[in-house]
Amino acid sequence: MRLLDQLHFNGQLFLRHRVRTVLLLLAVGLGVASVIMLTSLGEGARRYVDREFSALGNQLLIILPGRKETTGGAPPIYGAAPRDLTLEDAQALERLPAVRAVAPVIAGTAPVSRGSRSREVIVLGSTSAIFQVRKMDVAQGKILPERARSEALAVCVLGSKLKLELFGNRRAIGEWVRAGDRRMRVIGVLEERGESLGLDLRDMIIVPVRTAEQMFNSPGLFRVLLELDANADFDRVEDRVRGVIRERHEGEDDVTLISQDSMLAAFNNILTTLTLAIAAIAAVSLLVAGILIMNISLISVSQRRREIGLLKALGGSSRQVRQLFLGESLLLVSLGSVAGVAVAWVAVLVVARLWPAFPLAPPWWSVPAAVATALLSGLVFSLIPARRAAALDPVLAMRGQDL
Amino acid sequence: MIELQDVNKTYLVGESPLRALRDVNITIDAGEYLSVMGPSGSGKSTLLNMVGLLDRPDSGSYRLEGTATEELGEEARARLRADYVGFIFQAFHLINRLTTLENVELPMMLAGISPKKRRQSALGVLEQVGLADRAGHRPNQLSGGQLQRVAIARAIVMKPRILLADEPTGNLDQASGAEVVEVLENLNREGITLLVVTHDAQLGKRARRRIRMVDGQIESDTGDGNAPAGSTAL
Ligand SMILES: Nc1ncnc2c1ncn2[C@@H]1O[C@H](COP(=O)(O)OP(=O)(O)OP(=O)(O)O)[C@@H](O)[C@H]1O
Ligand SMILES: [Mg+2]
């Protein structure tokens, strides 16, 4: 039997059983569309993170106190607690070649208030370098002065939302606020920029690092951010950083270094895995569609017993009958897949239009994977009905009543 | 061309075995015109299905054109069936969603013959049964006699050597029945081997060779299937 003839034959069947066909097309189409749309969400999240990171430039190196043993091995025998990472450590790193800027960070939360208005926000203690490293700028006023490197000045820069909460639309520059138990003068307000690396820049306060040290009574830094030269060799810089720390920490380089790349890679990994998991969950709907196809095909086989018997009497072989039934399912799944892909494509376009900030897009593998899963599911679940049809005894099948 | 030797077929009906064919021996030559008669349940249809390769004997041998069919697999039997045998059923067995022409083309489509050739042959045989003008109709738009003639067209479109008709007039009135018989006998005159199972004594007598079955056995086998037409009493 020719392929075209088979397609025509199956097509006539679909036209004859419109409701059934539409139902199955819907099941397959929805399954395929949901796989594509859900994976688009996951991929969108990955791209979003990717974009956020690259907005910071790729030359960021983060130093955390203490060593995270990720390569196994025994923990150090003595010196149970790691040494603090100090401001002096950070300043020593400034002298390294290929290091463009060093921003020490002390972080904590404290109530920030003005008059009767108060808000609990994140306090970031740092130097003027933080603005360069995190690509932040002020909308009004000034950033932290150079002297903030070493002096506990009573000045601060407010996030845009915090400023709005405390001052409304009035001018904040030069006014005083209370952060924790200290009074400080507002010298700048950050420009509006939303989240960056999970930190809501709008709802926080930046103070000189020494000030934060006193506020939180902690000599240790939360972390140190390094911005490197554009063409810096990360491995070499890492070695040098460890060298400096070892020198200052009595031979122990008890810090953890995270490069922007490795962080991005980790995020990428997590989000890709998540997307795959979502895809697998969505694929369950294709399994359900397959089971639906099986049930309906089984009904169809028993309804078309006489026709199957006739085909055999007219010289059709069991193999041809099996092919007819498998072909019917595959054709149906193909049509459903095309519809599903089209629907998903339109949906992604529409959402992208409505919500341009989120880079929604299907990952490259999602369309082939969804269609392949649908086809496989259709094939596997129509094996039993097709086999049953092929095994029908023509004499028995043609017995009985009129058409 | 058809040679059945000691063919047996037993069906299990519940617990008890039912011998539908017992030691049937029959040889049919090309061009014969046979009728098979007998009481209900005597094995007439079983014999016909056996000859048409729709059924397999439990024991005995069936040679078709010299081929020992009992040794063939399902695929090969299907091919033989397509090449040698045309079936006509009491209930017509046309597919309702297909047009007359498509129904007639069906055996050729299964055989993978090109649409152009198919159309030509199908229109040719529809002409032969006098239904060329009904090619685009659907089965539910045709009368019983016309339906059976479409079924005959379908049975002969592959130019088979053997035509097997199981009560071809069973669902038809006198007039349409006569038309159908006429078409069948014309085909036999042109050389096709014709086997007709019937309850209708009138029709049975028209055949040049008459077989009577009782309880799965051939009780009588009279006449000469290849005698010149007109030599049998009508
Ligand atoms: N597939 C089957 N399973 C069980 N019994 C069967 C089967 N096919 C035929 N039989 C039985 O075998 C016997 C012969 O059947 P067959 O159909 O050949 O009879 P028939 O002579 O054609 O009868 P009728 O004139 O009623 O059509 C009957 O008793 C029938 O019930
Ligand atoms: Mg019968």
Side-chain angles (χ1 to χ4, degrees):
Chain A
M1 196 165 172
R2 293 162 173 245
L3 183 64
L4 239 111
D5 287 334
Q6 168 153 8
L7 291 179
H8 183 67
F9 190 84
N10 289 333
Q12 281 173 322
L13 264 171
F14 293 161
L15 284 181
R16 175 74 188 235
H17 303 280
R18 283 196 196 90
V19 175
R20 194 186 91 186
T21 306
V22 167
L23 193 81
L24 290 178
L25 285 178
L26 211 65
V28 174
L30 282 179
V32 168
S34 67
V35 169
I36 296 172
M37 292 191 295
L38 288 175
T39 53
S40 295
L41 277 181
E43 173 74 2
R46 197 188 65 76
R47 290 188 184 194
Y48 181 76
V49 168
D50 210 62
R51 200 174 61 186
E52 283 293 299
F53 271 93
S54 37
L56 291 173
N58 285 333
Q59 303 304 105
L60 193 66
L61 190 66
I62 300 169
I63 306 175
L64 307 178
R67 186 167 358 197
K68 293 229 169 60
E69 290 291 351
T70 51
T71 50
I77 298 166
Y78 52 89
R83 251 166 299 261
D84 284 330
L85 198 54
T86 63
L87 199 52
E88 288 70 31
D89 291 336
Q91 280 163 0
L93 293 174
E94 283 175 7
R95 290 189 291 275
L96 284 179
V99 171
R100 197 179 280 175
V102 177
V105 175
I106 290 175
T109 59
V112 175
S113 61
R114 172 177 167 273
S116 59
R117 302 187 183 191
S118 176
R119 245 181 118 66
E120 182 91 8
V121 296
I122 290 174
V123 179
L124 211 62
S126 191
T127 65
S128 57
I130 190 77
F131 292 89
Q132 180 182 348
V133 173
R134 293 294 294 264
K135 306 277 188 285
M136 297 185 291
D137 205 355
V138 287
Q140 299 154 31
K142 286 183 289 214
I143 64 170
L144 294 179
E146 267 301 301
R147 282 199 296 145
R149 275 166 55 84
S150 47
E151 289 176 43
L153 305 173
V155 297
C156 65
V157 174
L158 301 182
S160 55
K161 184 173 170 193
L162 178 61
K163 181 259 170 188
L164 216 59
E165 294 281 341
L166 297 183
F167 292 94
N169 285 326
R170 264 171 299 141
R171 185 174 167 76
I173 308 296
E175 300 293 327
W176 291 86
V177 295
R178 179 172 286 278
D181 54 357
R182 304 168 72 87
R183 268 162 56 81
M184 43 186 83
R185 189 186 287 277
V186 179
I187 60 165
V189 176
L190 284 178
E191 62 183 9
E192 185 83 31
R193 215 191 97 199
E195 286 196 12
S196 168
L197 297 186
L199 193 62
D200 188 354
L201 296 180
R202 289 169 306 181
D203 209 10
M204 60 168 213
I205 180 171
I206 300 174
V207 302
V209 64
R210 288 285 187 212
T211 312
E213 199 176 82
Q214 289 169 11
M215 276 174 75
F216 300 118
N217 194 23
S218 76
L221 297 179
F222 176 58
R223 59 186 52 166
V224 177
L225 308 179
L226 302 190
E227 192 190 28
L228 309 186
D229 282 341
N231 49 6
D233 175 350
F234 267 83
D235 291 339
R236 179 128 22 112
V237 174
E238 248 192 79
D239 284 345
R240 290 201 180 116
V241 167
R242 288 194 181 280
V244 169
I245 298 296
R246 215 175 292 127
E247 215 168 88
R248 303 179 54 83
H249 286 194
E250 292 146 16
E252 289 281 330
D253 56 341
D254 49 0
V255 290
T256 301
L257 298 184
I258 302 171
S259 71
Q260 173 114 18
D261 279 348
S262 66
M263 211 145 82
L264 184 55
F267 264 111
N268 255 332
N269 255 337
I270 292 169
L271 288 173
T272 303
T273 309
L274 192 74
T275 306
L276 284 172
I278 291 171
I281 292 167
V284 170
S285 62
L286 288 174
L287 209 70
V288 172
I291 292 171
L292 195 66
I293 287 175
M294 178 170 76
N295 282 324
I296 290 186
S297 297
L298 283 174
I299 294 170
S300 160
V301 168
S302 59
Q303 279 175 347
R304 286 165 61 199
R305 283 169 60 87
R306 294 155 58 70
E307 179 186 326
I308 296 164
L310 174 71
L311 291 178
K312 289 189 168 181
L314 296 181
S317 65
S318 299
R319 201 180 53 200
Q320 276 182 323
V321 171
R322 190 164 51 233
Q323 269 171 12
L324 269 180
F325 274 81
L326 288 181
E328 191 181 320
S329 294
L330 286 185
L331 181 61
L332 200 87
V333 170
S334 304
L335 293 176
S337 296
V338 169
V341 170
V343 165
W345 191 65
V346 169
V348 166
L349 278 187
V350 166
V351 172
R353 177 71 57 86
L354 293 178
W355 193 19
F358 191 74
L360 195 71
W364 65 267
W365 48 264
S366 83
V367 170
V371 173
T373 309
L375 284 175
L376 194 72
S377 164
L379 187 67
V380 166
F381 283 108
S382 54
L383 277 179
I384 294 175
R387 188 169 301 173
R388 187 172 290 186
L392 269 186
D393 173 358
V395 178
L396 279 184
M398 277 195 299
R399 249 161 214 267
Q401 311 76 41
D402 253 329
L403 283 172
Chain B
M1 71 188 302
I2 293 169
E3 242 186 295
L4 274 79
Q5 259 178 32
D6 297 328
V7 166
N8 282 284
K9 183 73 190 182
T10 305
Y11 292 113
L12 268 182
V13 183
E15 294 284 287
S16 52
L18 195 154
R19 296 189 63 184
L21 293 181
R22 315 179 185 217
D23 297 323
V24 169
N25 284 288
I26 186 170
T27 305
I28 302 169
D29 289 325
E32 287 199 52
Y33 177 10
L34 276 90
S35 67
V36 182
M37 298 192 61
S40 189
S42 56
K44 305 183 296 293
S45 296
T46 307
L47 176 66
L48 207 73
N49 292 333
M50 202 63 77
V51 170
L53 295 167
L54 280 183
D55 216 339
R56 278 174 186 271
D58 295 334
S59 68
S61 80
Y62 170 27
R63 298 178 84 79
L64 177 61
E65 296 278 343
T67 310
T69 62
E70 61 275 7
E71 290 161 12
L72 297 177
E74 181 56 40
E75 294 292 317
R77 286 165 62 88
R79 223 168 302 131
L80 264 188
R81 195 153 60 225
D83 290 342
Y84 286 104
V85 185
F87 272 105
I88 296 155
F89 310 96
Q90 179 176 2
F92 320 135
H93 285 298
L94 296 174
I95 298 181
N96 273 327
R97 64 172 183 277
L98 306 182
T99 62
T100 299
L101 191 67
E102 286 168 335
N103 266 295
V104 174
E105 282 184 17
L106 201 53
M108 300 191 98
M109 189 178 92
L110 288 167
I113 292 165
S114 78
K116 217 170 135 189
K117 225 169 140 189
R118 254 167 26 206
R119 180 128 314 189
Q120 216 179 352
S121 308
L123 284 172
V125 290
L126 275 175
E127 185 97 41
Q128 225 174 324
V129 300
L131 285 174
D133 55 335
R134 296 290 197 280
H137 289 223
R138 290 191 192 273
N140 53 22
Q141 298 168 316
L142 300 179
S143 73
Q146 290 173 328
L147 289 175
Q148 195 60 300
R149 274 145 66 200
V150 174
I152 294 172
R154 181 181 64 192
I156 59 173
V157 75
M158 291 282 283
K159 305 208 183 320
R161 311 280 288 274
I162 308 161
L163 208 50
L164 304 174
D166 197 344
E167 312 209 21
T169 59
N171 280 7
L172 301 178
D173 60 48
Q174 198 91 41
S176 339
E179 277 174 30
V180 165
V181 170
E182 159 117 18
V183 171
L184 290 176
E185 289 181 352
N186 272 335
L187 289 165
N188 173 252
R189 242 168 258 137
E190 286 164 22
I192 208 166
T193 310
L194 178 61
L195 226 93
V196 181
V197 167
T198 184
H199 278 294
D200 178 353
Q202 292 280 13
L203 174 56
K205 270 190 232 154
R206 293 179 68 88
R208 293 188 292 273
R209 179 175 171 191
R210 296 166 296 276
I211 288 173
R212 192 175 161 75
M213 292 193 70
V214 176
D215 276 344
Q217 281 178 308
I218 293 181
E219 195 199 51
S220 71
D221 183 349
T222 57
D224 176 357
N226 263 332
S231 69
T232 39
L234 218 139

